[in-house]
Amino acid sequence: GLANLHVQGRVLLSEATIPGPGNVIVVAHSKPNRIELAPTDFEKYLKHEGLEHVIQWRAEHAESSRTGRERYSKYVKSLLLARNASDYYRHVVGFPIEIIPEANPYSLKVGDSLPIQLLFRNRPAANLQVEMAWLPPGKKAKIRIAGRTDDQGRLKIPINSKGVWRLHTVLMERCSEPE
């Protein structure tokens, strides 16, 4: 079971029992948050996340010199393994944006690739930058851009080390609700 999952000093989960063998998905998401960044800081953030189209849009609409305001939510999906693998790793939980492994990560070895599909509102999300981060046993964490998704929202993530892995992407769209 899992015990005492803490976030910002609050216990969110004190214990969970996994009912049987197989892959297990643990999910969490944040409430919408807001940030404001000075124009140059906002542009640095957009570049880092591979959101050049947002930089271009801001330039075309005379917003490059304006404070960058963002309302965002985070969606987290963790894949665990209880004894023997199952095909549950490919389960779609229904987040607005979601990474779906197309192979069981627990069956891969160093040198293999993990094929993924990225969905936005249950449709393939094309041309999104995906960052991979991993923590090799006994070493410092490493972070690198894995690439961009193709027209079907697919990308192969190279598995170059044992350890704990994280995939990350950001999708940004104009807010449809006035503030």
Side-chain angles (χ1 to χ4, degrees):
L2 300 173
N4 296 329
L5 176 60
H6 296 267
V7 174
Q8 295 179 346
R10 294 184 0 218
V11 176
L12 295 181
L13 176 69
S14 62
E15 188 173 318
T17 302
I18 298 171
N23 292 103
V24 176
I25 297 173
V26 177
V27 298
H29 64 88
S30 70
K31 291 181 179 180
N33 292 292
R34 288 177 172 27
I35 60 168
E36 286 191 16
L37 295 172
T40 54
D41 293 335
F42 193 58
E43 188 160 320
K44 285 178 192 174
Y45 162 69
L46 295 171
K47 282 181 184 176
H48 174 78
E49 296 297 350
L51 299 169
E52 289 82 6
H53 67 284
V54 177
I55 296 169
Q56 182 179 346
W57 189 95
R58 284 173 53 88
E60 290 169 358
H61 293 84
E63 288 193 12
S64 297
S65 62
R66 287 185 173 174
T67 297
R69 296 181 337 163
E70 181 183 18
R71 182 175 63 197
Y72 67 93
S73 295
K74 294 181 181 183
Y75 300 92
V76 179
K77 179 172 141 179
S78 296
L79 182 63
L80 306 176
L81 179 65
R83 295 185 296 279
N84 303 318
S86 66
D87 65 352
Y88 196 66
Y89 64 88
R90 62 179 84 197
H91 178 72
V92 177
V93 300
F95 280 153
I97 188 165
E98 184 171 353
I99 297 172
I100 311 299
E102 294 188 315
N104 193 327
Y106 287 98
S107 68
L108 302 176
K109 299 177 195 126
V110 173
D112 290 343
S113 290
L114 172 64
I116 63 164
Q117 185 176 35
L118 213 155
L119 302 177
F120 178 58
R121 297 186 181 130
N122 293 314
R123 296 180 184 265
N127 199 31
L128 288 182
Q129 177 176 289
V130 177
E131 179 183 273
M132 57 189 214
W134 65 100
L135 182 60
K139 297 185 179 175
K140 286 185 172 185
K142 301 186 186 268
I143 300 172
R144 174 168 89 197
I145 303 303
R148 289 187 170 273
T149 56
D150 67 13
D151 290 344
Q152 292 303 306
R154 289 191 162 86
L155 179 66
K156 290 186 177 181
I157 308 297
I159 306 301
N160 51 23
S161 173
K162 290 182 178 184
V164 176
W165 281 75
R166 176 185 62 85
L167 301 177
H168 164 87
T169 193
V170 173
L171 185 145
M172 186 179 286
E173 62 183 353
R174 192 84 178 162
C175 186
S176 61
E177 302 165 11
E179 301 219 17

